[in-house]
Amino acid sequence: MASEMGRWGFADPGSLREKLTGLALAGRKTTTASLRVEFELDGEALPVPGERSLLVDSEDRPVAVVETVTCRVVRLADVDDQHAIDEGEGYANAAEFRQDHEAYWNGYLESIRGRLGDPTFVLTDDTPVVLERFVIVERLDRS
């Protein structure tokens, strides 16, 4: 069954992924956010409530089975405080979430522009963001 599950990891492999994975495994991080355009560019379907997938670390090793609880697409301006707080990264509200996430996403915006073939693509209030709430159903041995 595990071989049939999708695989994903937070951010790019490296220290940020390890930090976010640790927060999720500790139960502090129960939500995550992605740009909708990245799902489209990768040809990936949005997560579906009840769907299980493998959370991987920076070495692409499965560390947990994750179940999607909810998935919704909202405008970047409409990310709510509760989602931001449940990201587990210390955000007090959606404004702090937005500042940090925009800095992260803008760090690779040129790549998105290139993949879209749209050099004018920018993040705005209306940019669709995928908000996922998840639960760790099983921790997997990292050895």
Side-chain angles (χ1 to χ4, degrees), residues 68 87 89 111:
T68 299
E87 286 248 340
E89 298 174 55
S111 171

Side-chain angles (χ1 to χ4, degrees), residues 81-97:
D81 289 344
Q82 193 60 59
H83 178 89
I85 292 164
D86 292 346
E87 286 248 340
E89 298 174 55
Y91 306 124
N93 54 45
E96 290 180 7
F97 162 95

Side-chain angles (χ1 to χ4, degrees), residues 10-131:
F10 297 108
D12 290 323
S15 61
L16 180 57
R17 177 176 289 182
E18 293 307 308
K19 173 187 169 190
L20 299 178
T21 300
L23 290 170
L25 291 173
R28 290 185 46 208
K29 180 174 183 59
T30 58
T31 62
T32 193
S34 308
L35 294 174
R36 174 71 174 110
V37 70
E38 292 186 88
F39 282 90
E40 295 165 359
L41 288 170
D42 294 339
E44 293 180 10
L46 295 180
V48 175
E51 179 179 71
R52 292 186 174 191
S53 55
L54 295 171
L55 179 63
V56 299
D57 66 11
S58 290
E59 295 178 24
D60 202 38
R61 295 178 302 200
V63 296
V65 176
V66 175
E67 183 174 316
T68 299
V69 176
T70 62
C71 180
R72 58 195 171 110
V73 179
V74 303
R75 296 174 341 123
L76 181 55
D78 295 334
V79 174
D80 58 278
D81 289 344
Q82 193 60 59
H83 178 89
I85 292 164
D86 292 346
E87 286 248 340
E89 298 174 55
Y91 306 124
N93 54 45
E96 290 180 7
F97 162 95
R98 182 167 178 170
Q99 181 179 7
D100 197 40
H101 280 71
E102 277 196 42
Y104 174 74
W105 291 325
N106 278 319
Y108 63 94
L109 202 59
E110 284 302 321
S111 171
I112 292 173
R113 287 176 179 148
R115 292 178 67 200
L116 279 173
D118 179 0
T120 65
F121 179 81
V122 293
L123 300 176
T124 69
D125 282 351
D126 293 326
T127 300
V129 179
V130 178
L131 303 181

